[in-house]
Amino acid sequence: MVTIEDLCFSYGRHQVLRRVGFTVQPGAKVGLLGPNGAGKSSLLLHLNGILQGEGTIVVDGLPLNAANLGRIRQKVGLVFQDPDDQLFCPTVFEDVAYGPLYQGLPASEVEQRVEQALAAVGMQQARERSPHQLSGGEKKRVALATVLSMQPALLALDEPTNGLDPRARRSLIELLRTLPNTMLVATHDLAMLEELLPEAIVMDEGQIVFQGATAALLADKELLERHGLTA
Protein backbone atom coordinates (compact mmCIF):
# COMPACT_ATOMS: atom_id res chain seq x y z
CA MET A 1 0.00 0.00 0.00
CA VAL A 2 2.80 2.43 0.92
CA THR A 3 6.51 2.32 0.13
CA ILE A 4 8.83 5.08 1.33
CA GLU A 5 12.52 5.25 0.44
CA ASP A 6 15.20 7.70 1.60
CA LEU A 7 12.73 10.37 2.70
CA CYS A 8 14.40 13.50 4.06
CA PHE A 9 12.77 16.73 5.19
CA SER A 10 13.84 19.86 7.05
CA TYR A 11 12.10 22.86 8.58
CA GLY A 12 14.74 25.43 7.71
CA ARG A 13 17.99 24.14 9.18
CA HIS A 14 16.25 21.64 11.45
CA GLN A 15 16.19 18.21 9.80
CA VAL A 16 13.18 16.20 11.01
CA LEU A 17 13.27 13.21 8.63
CA ARG A 18 16.56 11.44 7.90
CA ARG A 19 16.49 8.88 5.08
CA VAL A 20 13.26 7.29 6.32
CA GLY A 21 12.20 4.12 4.56
CA PHE A 22 9.60 1.41 5.18
CA THR A 23 6.74 -0.49 3.57
CA VAL A 24 3.13 -0.95 4.71
CA GLN A 25 1.32 -3.88 3.13
CA PRO A 26 -2.33 -3.65 2.00
CA GLY A 27 -4.68 -4.33 4.91
CA ALA A 28 -1.98 -3.87 7.56
CA LYS A 29 -2.65 -1.91 10.73
CA VAL A 30 0.60 -0.31 11.81
CA GLY A 31 1.44 1.84 14.82
CA LEU A 32 3.93 4.70 14.39
CA LEU A 33 5.65 5.51 17.67
CA GLY A 34 8.37 7.73 19.00
CA PRO A 35 9.00 10.57 21.44
CA ASN A 36 7.73 14.08 20.76
CA GLY A 37 9.76 15.60 17.94
CA ALA A 38 10.65 12.24 16.42
CA GLY A 39 9.08 13.20 13.07
CA LYS A 40 5.86 11.18 13.18
CA SER A 41 3.44 13.96 12.27
CA SER A 42 5.79 15.31 9.59
CA LEU A 43 5.94 11.85 8.07
CA LEU A 44 2.15 11.52 7.96
CA LEU A 45 1.87 14.91 6.26
CA HIS A 46 4.07 13.60 3.43
CA LEU A 47 1.67 10.78 2.58
CA ASN A 48 -0.71 13.04 0.71
CA GLY A 49 1.72 15.77 -0.27
CA ILE A 50 0.96 18.42 2.37
CA LEU A 51 4.71 18.37 3.03
CA GLN A 52 7.12 17.45 0.25
CA GLY A 53 10.64 16.38 1.08
CA GLU A 54 13.34 14.54 -0.83
CA GLY A 55 12.98 10.83 -1.46
CA THR A 56 10.44 8.44 -2.93
CA ILE A 57 6.87 7.76 -1.81
CA VAL A 58 4.60 5.30 -3.63
CA VAL A 59 0.95 4.95 -2.54
CA ASP A 60 -1.13 2.08 -3.94
CA GLY A 61 1.18 1.82 -6.92
CA LEU A 62 1.28 5.57 -7.67
CA PRO A 63 4.48 7.59 -7.21
CA LEU A 64 3.79 10.73 -5.22
CA ASN A 65 4.38 13.55 -7.70
CA ALA A 66 2.53 16.54 -9.11
CA ALA A 67 0.79 14.48 -11.78
CA ASN A 68 -0.58 11.94 -9.28
CA LEU A 69 -1.23 14.26 -6.32
CA GLY A 70 -5.00 14.51 -6.78
CA ARG A 71 -5.44 10.74 -7.09
CA ILE A 72 -3.22 10.07 -4.09
CA ARG A 73 -5.15 12.52 -1.92
CA GLN A 74 -8.25 10.45 -2.67
CA LYS A 75 -6.42 7.31 -1.55
CA VAL A 76 -4.96 8.69 1.71
CA GLY A 77 -7.37 9.77 4.44
CA LEU A 78 -5.39 11.91 6.87
CA VAL A 79 -7.02 12.54 10.27
CA PHE A 80 -5.33 15.29 12.29
CA GLN A 81 -4.63 15.07 16.01
CA ASP A 82 -6.97 18.00 16.73
CA PRO A 83 -10.36 17.49 15.03
CA ASP A 84 -10.97 21.25 15.12
CA ASP A 85 -8.27 21.51 12.42
CA GLN A 86 -10.46 19.31 10.20
CA LEU A 87 -13.99 20.56 10.93
CA PHE A 88 -14.78 24.00 9.55
CA CYS A 89 -18.28 23.87 8.03
CA PRO A 90 -21.54 24.97 9.71
CA THR A 91 -22.89 21.41 9.95
CA VAL A 92 -21.55 17.88 10.26
CA PHE A 93 -23.20 16.98 6.95
CA GLU A 94 -21.35 19.75 5.11
CA ASP A 95 -18.01 18.78 6.63
CA VAL A 96 -18.41 15.12 5.62
CA ALA A 97 -19.71 16.11 2.17
CA TYR A 98 -16.83 18.50 1.48
CA GLY A 99 -14.41 15.92 0.09
CA PRO A 100 -16.85 14.16 -2.27
CA LEU A 101 -18.11 17.55 -3.50
CA TYR A 102 -14.51 18.61 -4.16
CA GLN A 103 -14.14 15.43 -6.22
CA GLY A 104 -17.01 16.61 -8.40
CA LEU A 105 -19.35 13.75 -7.57
CA PRO A 106 -23.06 14.11 -8.30
CA ALA A 107 -25.32 15.17 -5.44
CA SER A 108 -26.93 11.75 -5.13
CA GLU A 109 -23.58 10.03 -4.66
CA VAL A 110 -22.40 12.69 -2.23
CA GLU A 111 -25.52 12.10 -0.12
CA GLN A 112 -24.94 8.35 -0.20
CA ARG A 113 -21.28 8.68 0.80
CA VAL A 114 -22.11 11.02 3.67
CA GLU A 115 -24.76 8.63 4.99
CA GLN A 116 -22.38 5.66 4.72
CA ALA A 117 -19.53 7.52 6.44
CA LEU A 118 -21.69 8.80 9.28
CA ALA A 119 -23.19 5.34 9.74
CA ALA A 120 -19.70 3.83 9.88
CA VAL A 121 -18.77 6.09 12.79
CA GLY A 122 -22.17 6.01 14.48
CA MET A 123 -22.92 9.71 14.00
CA GLN A 124 -25.98 9.69 11.72
CA GLN A 125 -28.02 11.59 14.31
CA ALA A 126 -25.57 14.51 14.25
CA ARG A 127 -25.68 15.34 10.54
CA GLU A 128 -27.41 18.72 11.02
CA ARG A 129 -25.53 19.69 14.20
CA SER A 130 -22.67 22.16 14.38
CA PRO A 131 -19.37 20.27 14.79
CA HIS A 132 -18.29 22.71 17.47
CA GLN A 133 -21.19 21.69 19.68
CA LEU A 134 -19.97 18.09 19.79
CA SER A 135 -17.91 16.40 22.50
CA GLY A 136 -14.26 15.60 21.90
CA GLY A 137 -15.02 11.96 21.13
CA GLU A 138 -17.83 12.91 18.75
CA LYS A 139 -15.56 15.35 16.94
CA LYS A 140 -12.98 12.59 16.49
CA ARG A 141 -15.64 10.37 14.93
CA VAL A 142 -16.85 13.10 12.58
CA ALA A 143 -13.28 13.95 11.56
CA LEU A 144 -12.84 10.29 10.69
CA ALA A 145 -16.10 10.37 8.71
CA THR A 146 -14.78 13.31 6.64
CA VAL A 147 -12.06 11.06 5.25
CA LEU A 148 -14.16 7.88 5.06
CA SER A 149 -16.52 9.71 2.70
CA MET A 150 -13.60 9.89 0.27
CA GLN A 151 -13.36 6.07 0.40
CA PRO A 152 -9.59 6.07 1.00
CA ALA A 153 -7.43 2.98 0.73
CA LEU A 154 -5.19 4.18 3.58
CA LEU A 155 -6.11 5.86 6.87
CA ALA A 156 -3.32 7.93 8.41
CA LEU A 157 -4.30 8.95 11.94
CA ASP A 158 -2.32 11.29 14.19
CA GLU A 159 -2.81 10.51 17.92
CA PRO A 160 -6.47 9.44 17.56
CA THR A 161 -7.00 8.74 21.29
CA ASN A 162 -5.27 11.89 22.53
CA GLY A 163 -7.49 13.94 24.85
CA LEU A 164 -10.33 11.41 25.03
CA ASP A 165 -11.89 10.22 28.27
CA PRO A 166 -11.82 6.43 28.89
CA ARG A 167 -15.30 5.80 27.49
CA ALA A 168 -14.68 7.82 24.30
CA ARG A 169 -11.26 6.19 23.88
CA ARG A 170 -12.75 2.71 24.16
CA SER A 171 -15.49 3.62 21.70
CA LEU A 172 -13.00 4.93 19.14
CA ILE A 173 -10.76 1.86 19.43
CA GLU A 174 -13.74 -0.42 18.85
CA LEU A 175 -14.71 1.67 15.83
CA LEU A 176 -11.23 1.50 14.31
CA ARG A 177 -11.22 -2.26 14.84
CA THR A 178 -14.23 -2.61 12.53
CA LEU A 179 -12.76 -0.63 9.62
CA PRO A 180 -11.16 -2.64 6.80
CA ASN A 181 -8.79 0.12 5.66
CA THR A 182 -5.03 -0.12 5.81
CA MET A 183 -3.97 2.05 8.76
CA LEU A 184 -0.86 3.93 9.82
CA VAL A 185 -1.49 5.36 13.29
CA ALA A 186 0.86 7.75 15.07
CA THR A 187 0.34 7.20 18.79
CA HIS A 188 1.80 7.23 22.29
CA ASP A 189 -0.99 4.91 23.47
CA LEU A 190 0.80 1.58 24.05
CA ALA A 191 -2.37 -0.13 25.26
CA MET A 192 -4.15 0.76 22.01
CA LEU A 193 -1.09 -0.34 20.06
CA GLU A 194 -1.15 -3.76 21.70
CA GLU A 195 -4.89 -4.17 21.21
CA LEU A 196 -5.40 -2.78 17.71
CA LEU A 197 -2.16 -2.58 15.73
CA PRO A 198 -0.26 -5.84 15.16
CA GLU A 199 2.71 -4.10 13.52
CA ALA A 200 4.81 -1.19 14.75
CA ILE A 201 7.37 1.32 13.54
CA VAL A 202 9.44 3.36 16.00
CA MET A 203 11.03 6.68 15.03
CA ASP A 204 13.53 8.72 16.96
CA GLU A 205 15.35 11.86 15.83
CA GLY A 206 13.86 11.50 12.36
CA GLN A 207 15.01 7.92 11.77
CA ILE A 208 13.44 4.46 11.87
CA VAL A 209 14.88 2.54 14.80
CA PHE A 210 12.45 -0.41 14.79
CA GLN A 211 9.99 -2.04 12.42
CA GLY A 212 8.33 -5.33 13.21
CA ALA A 213 5.69 -7.09 15.26
CA THR A 214 4.07 -5.09 18.05
CA ALA A 215 4.51 -8.05 20.41
CA ALA A 216 8.27 -8.01 19.82
CA LEU A 217 8.44 -4.27 20.43
CA LEU A 218 6.47 -4.39 23.67
CA ALA A 219 8.64 -7.26 24.93
CA ASP A 220 11.81 -5.18 24.42
CA LYS A 221 11.70 -3.01 27.54
CA GLU A 222 15.19 -1.64 26.96
CA LEU A 223 14.29 -0.39 23.46
CA LEU A 224 11.07 1.18 24.74
CA GLU A 225 12.94 3.01 27.50
CA ARG A 226 15.78 4.09 25.24
CA HIS A 227 13.38 5.80 22.85
CA GLY A 228 11.13 7.44 25.43
CA LEU A 229 8.14 5.13 25.08
CA THR A 230 7.76 4.25 28.75
CA ALA A 231 7.23 6.45 31.79
Side-chain angles (χ1 to χ4, degrees):
M1 180 58 65
V2 179
T3 299
I4 298 175
E5 296 179 351
D6 294 328
L7 181 62
C8 298
F9 181 74
S10 299
Y11 293 104
R13 296 183 178 180
H14 178 54
Q15 189 168 6
V16 293
L17 298 176
R18 306 170 186 269
R19 300 181 65 85
V20 170
F22 61 85
T23 297
V24 176
Q25 298 296 332
K29 289 181 168 53
V30 183
L32 180 63
L33 297 94
N36 291 335
K40 304 184 298 297
S41 296
S42 296
L43 175 60
L44 293 185
L45 292 172
H46 277 79
L47 294 177
N48 62 2
I50 293 176
L51 296 180
Q52 298 183 19
E54 298 179 357
T56 301
I57 301 175
V58 179
V59 178
D60 202 17
L62 293 176
L64 180 56
N65 54 37
N68 292 330
L69 187 57
R71 295 172 65 190
I72 285 177
R73 285 181 172 169
Q74 294 176 27
K75 292 177 177 290
V76 178
L78 178 60
V79 181
F80 297 114
Q81 179 175 341
D82 185 348
D84 286 330
D85 292 337
Q86 203 141 0
L87 305 175
F88 50 84
C89 291
T91 68
V92 165
F93 178 90
E94 290 169 281
D95 265 321
V96 180
Y98 183 86
L101 284 170
Y102 183 78
Q103 288 179 285
L105 298 177
S108 59
E109 185 169 351
V110 172
E111 175 75 26
Q112 182 181 29
R113 287 201 182 193
V114 171
E115 288 302 314
Q116 289 174 343
L118 289 175
V121 301
M123 291 296 292
Q124 307 98 307
Q125 79 287 353
R127 57 176 281 158
E128 301 304 329
R129 293 179 63 186
S130 167
H132 302 296
Q133 296 175 345
L134 303 176
S135 70
E138 289 171 331
K139 287 181 180 180
K140 293 266 190 178
R141 285 174 171 265
V142 173
L144 182 55
T146 67
V147 300
L148 291 179
S149 67
M150 301 280 286
Q151 299 183 351
L154 171 69
L155 289 176
L157 298 98
D158 195 356
E159 298 289 354
T161 61
N162 187 53
L164 297 183
D165 63 39
R167 180 179 296 177
R169 174 187 172 278
R170 167 54 43 202
S171 178
L172 183 63
I173 290 173
E174 293 303 327
L175 168 60
L176 294 176
R177 192 195 309 280
T178 68
L179 298 178
N181 310 68
T182 306
M183 293 183 193
L184 183 61
V185 183
T187 185
H188 289 101
D189 188 337
L190 294 185
M192 182 189 72
L193 175 77
E194 182 175 25
E195 185 176 350
L196 183 68
L197 306 166
E199 301 175 42
I201 296 168
V202 179
M203 296 182 65
D204 202 351
E205 296 184 350
Q207 297 178 300
I208 303 295
V209 297
F210 174 90
Q211 181 173 14
T214 292
L217 171 65
L218 295 178
D220 192 337
K221 304 303 182 184
E222 192 275 334
L223 186 148
L224 291 172
E225 184 174 352
R226 184 167 70 247
H227 297 290
L229 299 178
T230 56

